[in-house]
Amino acid sequence: MLRIALACMIACAVLLAAAFSLPGTTSAESVIRRALKTAPAEVSRVGAYIWLEDYGIGVKLAPAARQADFPKLLAGDAPENQAIATALWDLGPDGVAALKRNMEAKGARFESGTNLSLRPKSFPQDIAGHWTRVDLGSGRSAGVLDFTANGSNFALVFSAEAGAEAGLPAFRETFLRDFVLLPGMQPGSCAPLIFEGRYACVLKGWQRVGERFYATVNQSWLGLRLFHVAETDHESLDALTTALETELTAASFRPAPGARPEVAGTQAFLREYYREDGYVQRILYARLNGGYLVALAQAPVGLRDQLTVQVGEFVAGITPLEFGGVGTTRPLYFNDVRNVRIVAWQDGRRVLWGALFDDGRRQQVLWRQDDVAWNVRAVRNGEIIASRNGLANSSKALNPLVDAELRALDLMGEWTGALELELEVAGERSKTTLNVR
């Protein structure tokens, strides 16, 4: 049976890889990967936390080796200089009875217990639990907190050295304040982190194969891949969407009408793309705290309806997590800018220009803020001969290497000589002189 299951997993992985890279064609994934030049691998640790992707759980413990039989140790610690150790167990269908049998076989004696509720981070309601004191022998004791969440039975076991048992309740409460549990998980699902723990999503019935995820439907497959894009790589979500759709159109992908769903409280863009190759793609473009998310989902045309449902559940299940303390990142506001430097050059009978920003120490500053006003003027012999103004929403929008032609200033006449460029961005000013030939 194990060999059969392994063979099925390998076959699914091969099918998925083939679907994302169709022979003789440029796949949608390769188009996006080439355009973005970035994709996240599996994230299993953020700061002091580990993330158990198969359970949607984050804890400040060390991961345990994978186990086949219940109860399964998922994570734990054995601190050398700490009197209390912690372990997280998946108890399986038998619940705490399975753990009790294992511990009693090693000489432990369970005492009477009490009901105790817990509220993990990111979970919407209290979870009913049960707290039991355990005599481990030789003066050592433990506390077992068992509970059921997302269709699975778990236990946290806090083991105290001799003389430290009085500290178990306080230690337990401290640990629980940092315990993260994602709602909506179920056995056989996975919950990848997005932007290193700022968000997570629930993929019900999906499995990871490297950087891709897959689900089997009607003896076929659905595929998904997530891409993270730096916030400063594109001026706006619309700019990112336009850039990728230009690449997809060049690769003969045709778009269907799009929709604008909400993702974690912000408006995103979702569209289907197709080509005469028997496959259909649905791509989500979303701007989140930390950058842009591009999610590519793919399936055979015959599974279009199932893909639509699965992508809808995925979009609705993207949850702000603030896992590992990374959710409160400081916004990239323009008020960090201390100096603006204008860069200009001649291109035929026009001037192209852009701006660089630093913090007063010539260290680059990247900012992302809507409706930052700019104005540029070309002055010759004290007379303004050309000017433009507009609004920008990122430092990238004014970068000299990005869309400089859209900001061009036309030079009227055949004159030559000195030309002064004056730029003002949100009250910060810069000048440069160009020798027009």
Side-chain angles (χ1 to χ4, degrees):
M1 290 296 294
L2 180 60
R3 290 182 179 179
I4 294 174
L6 181 60
C8 290
M9 290 183 64
I10 293 173
C12 286
V14 171
L15 284 171
L16 184 67
F20 273 93
S21 303
L22 300 173
T25 66
T26 301
S27 69
E29 183 194 8
S30 64
V31 171
I32 294 174
R33 189 175 64 244
R34 182 179 64 247
L36 300 180
K37 302 176 183 177
T38 179
E42 180 178 2
V43 176
S44 59
R45 181 175 292 278
V46 178
Y49 284 85
I50 62 160
W51 181 249
L52 303 174
E53 189 174 79
D54 293 342
Y55 294 89
I57 289 177
V59 287
K60 289 183 177 180
L61 298 172
R66 288 186 176 270
Q67 301 172 25
D69 299 325
F70 295 107
K72 298 179 181 179
L73 178 64
L74 301 179
D77 60 16
E80 297 179 358
N81 300 316
Q82 187 169 297
I84 300 176
T86 308
L88 171 65
W89 294 82
D90 178 355
L91 302 178
D94 290 343
V96 73
L99 181 66
K100 185 178 179 181
R101 287 194 299 268
N102 280 14
M103 295 181 70
E104 287 179 339
K106 298 176 183 178
R109 183 169 58 87
F110 278 64
E111 302 174 358
S112 60
T114 59
N115 294 328
L116 179 69
S117 64
L118 62 151
R119 173 72 72 89
K121 283 184 176 182
S122 301
F123 210 76
Q125 69 266 345
D126 288 348
I127 297 173
H130 193 256
W131 174 252
T132 307
R133 296 295 290 264
V134 182
D135 182 356
L136 299 177
S138 302
R140 298 167 59 245
S141 61
V144 176
L145 176 60
D146 65 279
F147 58 95
T148 299
N150 291 334
S152 296
N153 299 312
F154 300 100
L156 285 162
V157 179
F158 304 93
S159 305
E161 296 296 328
E165 63 276 2
L168 280 172
F171 187 91
R172 176 197 67 207
E173 295 308 308
T174 299
F175 180 88
L176 289 177
R177 282 197 291 270
D178 293 324
F179 183 62
V180 179
L181 179 60
L182 192 65
M185 283 292 291
Q186 57 185 228
S189 302
C190 63
L193 293 178
I194 299 174
F195 294 118
E196 296 186 345
R198 293 181 177 90
Y199 303 83
C201 62
V202 176
L203 299 175
K204 296 179 180 178
W206 294 66
Q207 295 184 12
R208 177 188 284 275
V209 178
E211 293 181 349
R212 303 183 180 101
F213 302 90
Y214 74 90
T216 54
V217 177
N218 298 337
Q219 297 183 328
S220 191
W221 53 264
L222 310 177
L224 175 70
R225 186 160 183 183
L226 308 179
F227 295 84
H228 294 173
V229 185
E231 194 168 26
T232 52
D233 280 359
H234 293 272
E235 179 182 353
S236 65
L237 182 63
D238 287 343
L240 167 64
T241 304
T242 299
L244 289 185
E245 290 200 333
T246 299
E247 297 286 342
L248 289 166
T249 299
S252 301
F253 287 94
R254 291 175 291 181
R260 292 197 174 273
E262 278 203 352
V263 175
T266 63
Q267 193 175 79
F269 185 65
L270 177 65
R271 174 173 277 176
E272 182 176 288
Y273 303 83
Y274 58 97
R275 190 171 57 180
E276 301 302 326
D277 56 11
Y279 296 90
V280 62
Q281 287 74 213
R282 292 183 72 82
I283 302 178
L284 172 72
Y285 310 85
R287 178 189 167 198
L288 301 173
N289 177 18
Y292 298 101
L293 171 67
V294 177
L296 166 66
Q298 187 182 44
V301 170
L303 296 180
R304 172 184 275 116
D305 291 344
Q306 291 89 335
L307 183 68
T308 299
V309 171
Q310 290 279 354
V311 170
E313 292 180 353
F314 158 70
V315 170
I318 297 176
T319 303
L321 199 61
E322 300 192 4
F323 172 59
V326 299
T328 55
T329 54
R330 186 173 178 276
L332 301 171
Y333 288 142
F334 184 86
N335 58 15
D336 285 335
V337 174
R338 294 293 177 268
N339 289 323
V340 177
R341 288 178 284 140
I342 182 172
V343 178
W345 63 99
Q346 184 177 354
D347 178 50
R349 294 307 298 173
R350 61 180 185 167
V351 172
L352 304 183
W353 65 274
L356 300 173
F357 306 88
D358 63 53
D359 60 2
R361 300 171 298 168
R362 308 287 285 188
Q363 299 296 311
Q364 184 182 22
V365 170
L366 302 177
W367 54 268
R368 176 70 177 81
Q369 184 174 332
D370 291 337
D371 298 331
V372 173
W374 59 265
N375 177 275
V376 65
R377 302 186 302 176
V379 180
R380 178 173 178 251
N381 298 328
E383 177 186 359
I384 298 175
I385 64 169
S387 66
R388 296 192 71 163
N389 60 72
L391 297 175
N393 55 15
S394 74
S395 51
K396 184 178 179 65
L398 299 177
N399 188 282
L401 300 179
V402 178
D403 297 331
E405 293 189 358
L406 300 180
R407 302 185 298 270
L409 298 173
D410 292 328
L411 301 177
M412 306 302 293
E414 298 300 323
W415 55 270
T416 60
L419 181 70
E420 188 172 74
L421 276 295
E422 300 175 351
L423 173 66
E424 180 177 352
V425 184
E428 296 291 329
R429 294 177 174 83
S430 177
K431 292 183 180 181
T432 190
T433 299
L434 183 68
N435 186 27
V436 176
R437 295 181 174 85

